[in-house]
């Protein structure tokens, strides 16, 4: 546990030293909130977007870089398992996403006068499942694409269309019917729905179950394909 905590703290420090991660997970959602005139209804989608930026935009490249630089291979010969490092990266992404989300929520409520979340516990559960789900997809990308540049590129190519089509960046009702139908099948869509329902105070179990199923399937797929070198 001590080694895992130390690894997580190190991963967090590295993450927060990256200007791109800080901008897109902290400043960018706040900028969108300002452009939306502090619309509290947009906050759940932006929370999903923050999680997706970390889990699919950043994580695949980080994990691929560890493989490319033989970090995972060297750890396999030490008492610190490579799995521990990947778990620490997962935890770091969740904590960073939580920091960005809390900053967004506090700004929406205190600066723009948005209503507070209607169901905080459900919102927390939805956030945790959303963050874990996008990270599991990030691990799948890192398992398939072995080099850093390719993993970064594929992660971005997957993440950016998804945050728009799933309703994270813009409401799905503003999209054409054909785009909405595509969004129906994207894994981020139930995350946005679960976060939105929790924000409004509604208990939505089905989207959470879908997220849990995606986590199990993506984790199993990534584990089957993943190679340490």
């Amino acid at each position: 546990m001590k080694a895992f905590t130390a690894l997580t703290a190190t991963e967090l420090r590295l993450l927060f030293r990256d200007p791109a991660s800080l901008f897109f997970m902290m400043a960018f959602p706040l900028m969108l909130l300002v452009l939306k005139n502090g619309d509290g209804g947009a906050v759940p989608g932006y929370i999903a977007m923050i999680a997706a930026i970390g889990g699919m935009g950043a994580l695949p490249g980080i994990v691929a870089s560890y493989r490319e630089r033989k970090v995972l291979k060297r750890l396999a010969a030490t008492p610190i398992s490579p799995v521990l490092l990947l778990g620490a990266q997962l935890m770091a992404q969740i904590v960073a996403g939580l920091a960005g989300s809390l900053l967004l929520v506090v700004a929406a409520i205190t600066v723009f006068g948005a209503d507070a979340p209607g169901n905080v516990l459900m919102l927390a559960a939805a956030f945790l499942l959303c963050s874990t789900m996008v990270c599991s997809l990030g691990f799948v990308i890192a398992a398939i694409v072995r080099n850093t540049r390719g993993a970064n590129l594929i992660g971005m190519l997957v993440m950016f269309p998804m945050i728009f089509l799933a309703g994270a960046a813009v409401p799905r009702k503003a999209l054409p019917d054909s785009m909405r139908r595509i969004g129906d099948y994207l894994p981020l869509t139930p995350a946005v729905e679960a976060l939105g329902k929790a924000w409004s105070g509604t208990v939505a179990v089905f989207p959470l179950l879908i997220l849990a199923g995606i986590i199990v399937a993506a984790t199993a797929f990534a584990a089957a394909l993943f190679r340490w070198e």
Side-chain angles (χ1 to χ4, degrees), residues 166-198:
V170 295
R172 294 188 66 215
K173 62 184 180 182
L175 299 174
D177 289 342
S178 58
M179 297 294 99
R180 280 201 300 271
R181 284 195 291 272
I182 294 172
D184 288 340
Y185 300 98
L186 296 177
L188 195 63
T189 301
V192 175
E193 182 181 352
L195 289 162
K197 294 287 188 183

Side-chain angles (χ1 to χ4, degrees), residues 60-61 64 68 141 145-157:
E68 207 168 34
I141 295 171
V145 187
R146 304 298 176 85
N147 63 82
T148 306
R149 183 176 297 179
N152 276 325
L153 176 61
I154 298 300
M156 292 293 183
L157 288 176

Side-chain angles (χ1 to χ4, degrees), residues 7 11 66 71-72 75 80-90:
L7 278 173
E11 292 296 321
Y66 287 158
V71 173
L72 299 178
L75 283 179
I80 300 177
S81 166
V83 176
L84 204 63
L85 178 62
L86 298 181
Q89 178 58 220
L90 168 65

Side-chain angles (χ1 to χ4, degrees), residues 44 47 117-131 190-209 211:
I47 293 174
N119 193 325
V120 176
L121 289 179
M122 284 298 294
L123 186 66
F127 169 79
L128 182 59
L129 284 172
C130 173
S131 296
V192 175
E193 182 181 352
L195 289 162
K197 294 287 188 183
W199 186 273
S200 65
T202 306
V203 177
V205 177
F206 187 63
L208 298 179
L209 292 177
L211 293 177

Side-chain angles (χ1 to χ4, degrees), residues 4-181:
F4 179 74
T5 303
L7 278 173
T8 301
T10 300
E11 292 296 321
L12 266 175
R13 282 196 298 271
L14 293 173
L15 199 58
F16 282 122
R17 287 175 185 169
D18 179 13
S21 295
L22 281 177
F23 174 77
F24 282 108
M25 296 183 77
M26 302 289 176
F28 185 61
L30 290 175
M31 292 168 59
L32 291 179
L33 186 66
V34 172
L35 292 174
K36 291 282 287 185
N37 295 317
D39 180 13
V43 173
Y46 294 164
I47 293 174
M49 181 176 62
I50 291 170
I53 288 170
M56 289 186 287
L59 185 144
I62 294 172
V63 175
S65 73
Y66 287 158
R67 183 197 292 115
E68 207 168 34
R69 292 186 285 121
K70 308 297 182 183
V71 173
L72 299 178
K73 183 180 179 181
R74 288 196 295 269
L75 283 179
T78 71
I80 300 177
S81 166
V83 176
L84 204 63
L85 178 62
L86 298 181
Q89 178 58 220
L90 168 65
M91 186 58 66
Q93 292 292 345
I94 292 174
V95 173
L98 179 61
S101 298
L102 286 175
L103 180 63
L104 178 69
V105 170
V106 170
I109 295 172
T110 60
V111 177
F112 297 103
D115 293 332
N119 193 325
V120 176
L121 289 179
M122 284 298 294
L123 186 66
F127 169 79
L128 182 59
L129 284 172
C130 173
S131 296
T132 306
M133 184 273 293
V134 292
C135 285
S136 70
L137 296 179
F139 283 125
V140 169
I141 295 171
I144 295 173
V145 187
R146 304 298 176 85
N147 63 82
T148 306
R149 183 176 297 179
N152 276 325
L153 176 61
I154 298 300
M156 292 293 183
L157 288 176
V158 171
M159 184 269 295
F160 273 113
M162 193 179 296
I163 63 175
F164 285 97
L165 296 177
V170 295
R172 294 188 66 215
K173 62 184 180 182
L175 299 174
D177 289 342
S178 58
M179 297 294 99
R180 280 201 300 271
R181 284 195 291 272

